[in-house]
Amino acid sequence: MRILATESELGKVSKTIIDFIKEYQIIAFRGDLGAGKTTLIKNMCNLLGVIDNVSSPTFSIVNEYESGEELKVFHFDFYRLESEEEAFDLGIEDYFYSGNLCLIEWPSKIESLLPEKRLEIHISIAGEEREFIINKMN
């Protein structure tokens, strides 16, 4: 699925992605620096009723958010990871198989640890818009 959207239309993109979370709890966000991964995740968390401050976990690697619907959301940013072993030491598999929603920035840093079943969101800049390509991985 391909969606073109401006920043003001992120709600539409977020809603489309959220519609998949009953089937996919692991969502990997791919895109260059500045493509809008964190902005999209903040928008999604807002729609999910997250009551915590949503920010990029660049240094902490993972942030945990609570929502009003008792949904736990784990937000990962693996940009600074040196090896997959660091993610393994973090207990990444416990997060991935907890049944909670896992939103992953820079999944390429942990490629072999990603669950086979996941949603892939590819974000690229297309002029004034962003292009979002959503792929189901099974």
Side-chain angles (χ1 to χ4, degrees):
M1 171 184 297
R2 179 178 177 261
I3 302 170
L4 280 175
T6 62
E7 190 169 339
S8 65
E9 298 171 316
L10 278 182
K12 170 180 75 171
V13 178
S14 297
K15 175 74 172 98
T16 300
I17 296 168
I18 288 169
D19 287 344
F20 288 107
I21 65 172
K22 287 183 179 156
E23 187 179 353
Y24 295 91
Q25 289 80 44
I26 309 297
I27 305 177
F29 296 82
R30 298 180 187 270
D32 293 335
L33 278 172
K37 297 178 293 295
T38 303
T39 302
L40 179 59
I41 288 171
K42 285 180 182 181
N43 195 283
M44 288 175 59
C45 287
N46 184 48
L47 290 177
L48 289 168
V50 166
I51 54 179
D52 299 308
N53 181 39
V54 178
S55 62
S56 179
T58 303
F59 295 101
S60 61
I61 301 177
V62 62
N63 287 344
E64 179 179 338
Y65 310 127
E66 301 285 335
S67 81
E69 300 171 17
E70 298 185 25
L71 172 72
K72 278 193 182 178
V73 178
F74 296 108
H75 178 193
F76 300 90
D77 185 335
F78 292 119
Y79 182 74
R80 298 194 181 280
L81 228 59
E82 297 292 326
S83 69
E84 286 185 344
E85 188 173 309
E86 287 180 59
F88 193 74
D89 291 344
L90 179 71
I92 197 68
E93 290 180 326
D94 293 335
Y95 288 106
F96 286 171
Y97 299 102
S98 68
N100 293 299
L101 183 60
C102 294
L103 308 175
I104 306 161
E105 295 187 52
W106 300 100
S108 59
K109 298 280 194 157
I110 60 156
E111 205 70 54
S112 73
L113 301 177
L114 290 171
E116 215 172 280
K117 183 175 182 177
R118 64 185 183 273
L119 200 62
E120 292 267 340
I121 312 299
H122 298 264
I123 306 170
S124 59
I125 300 170
E128 294 294 315
E129 298 177 313
R130 297 290 192 268
E131 178 181 50
F132 301 89
I133 298 174
I134 303 170
N135 293 315
K136 296 177 184 181
M137 310 297 286
N138 288 339

